């Protein structure tokens, strides 16, 4: 009986330890795969967001920090109320931009891109120019600022 109780206690300790390890692993911050794509993007190399996307999106909307969503085409985008709330909250942060992926006029997905990976707030992409075809070509400069690529 004593041996059975010791085995039971030992088994409980192993399960608690395993649960604690799994909890710690699941608390790791989520890294956005698109953000990793931008972090790995070479400087002065032309790219398109379509190169990354597996989905069939037709356009991308770049939501800059501090955007006035009432004076841009953002107000006309079709999306869920919860996503609209996320976007309106995101514009108050200057550390990242939000990319909205659109298919058939409806926002299907979004991605938050930290400025350390790619800065979309430059003179080359003014705040009133937000909607681009998914195959639009861009280029990163030495400071990781995103510019429109024109041949």
């Amino acid at each position: 009986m004593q041996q059975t109780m010791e085995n039971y206690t030992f088994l409980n300790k192993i399960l608690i330890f395993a649960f604690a390890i799994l909890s710690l692993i699941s608390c790791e911050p989520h890294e956005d795969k698109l953000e990793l794509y931008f972090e790995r993007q070479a400087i002065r190399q032309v790219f398109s967001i379509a190169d990354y996307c597996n989905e069939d999106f037709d356009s991308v909307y770049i939501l800059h920090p501090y955007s006035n969503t009432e004076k841009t085409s953002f107000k006309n985008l079709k999306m869920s109320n919860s996503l609209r709330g996320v976007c309106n909250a995101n514009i108050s942060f200057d550390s990242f931009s939000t990319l909205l992926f659109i298919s058939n006029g409806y926002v299907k997905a979004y991605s938050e891109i930290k400025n350390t990976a790619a800065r979309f707030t430059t003179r080359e992409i003014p705040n009133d120019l937000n909607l681009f075809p998914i195959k639009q070509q861009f280029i990163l400069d030495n400071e990781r600022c995103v510019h429109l690529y024109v041949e």
Side-chain angles (χ1 to χ4, degrees), residues 23-87:
S23 295
L24 288 174
I25 290 172
S26 66
C27 290
E28 288 292 315
H30 170 70
E31 287 190 311
D32 192 305
K33 291 180 182 178
L34 184 57
E35 188 171 271
L36 290 174
Y37 169 79
F38 283 116
E39 287 175 354
R40 294 177 180 148
Q41 181 63 42
I43 302 297
R44 301 273 178 219
Q45 183 179 357
V46 177
F47 69 92
S48 167
I49 295 173
D51 297 340
Y52 166 78
C53 293
N54 296 333
E55 301 292 326
D56 189 25
F57 300 116
D58 48 51
S59 54
V60 60
Y61 186 94
I62 300 173
L63 188 60
H64 305 283
Y66 308 119
S67 291
N68 185 342
T69 56
E70 295 301 315
K71 292 187 177 181
T72 63
S73 56
F74 175 81
K75 64 183 177 188
N76 299 323
L77 294 176
K78 297 174 192 164
M79 67 182 83
S80 68
N81 287 334
S82 60
L83 178 54
R84 192 169 296 278
V86 167
C87 292

Side-chain angles (χ1 to χ4, degrees), residues 63-67 90-97 115 121 127:
L63 188 60
H64 305 283
Y66 308 119
S67 291
N90 283 357
I91 61 174
S92 62
F93 298 102
D94 61 3
S95 59
F96 62 88
S97 295
N115 289 343
T121 54
N127 285 343

Side-chain angles (χ1 to χ4, degrees), residues 1 21 73 114:
M1 180 77 170
I21 294 295
S73 56
K114 292 179 190 166

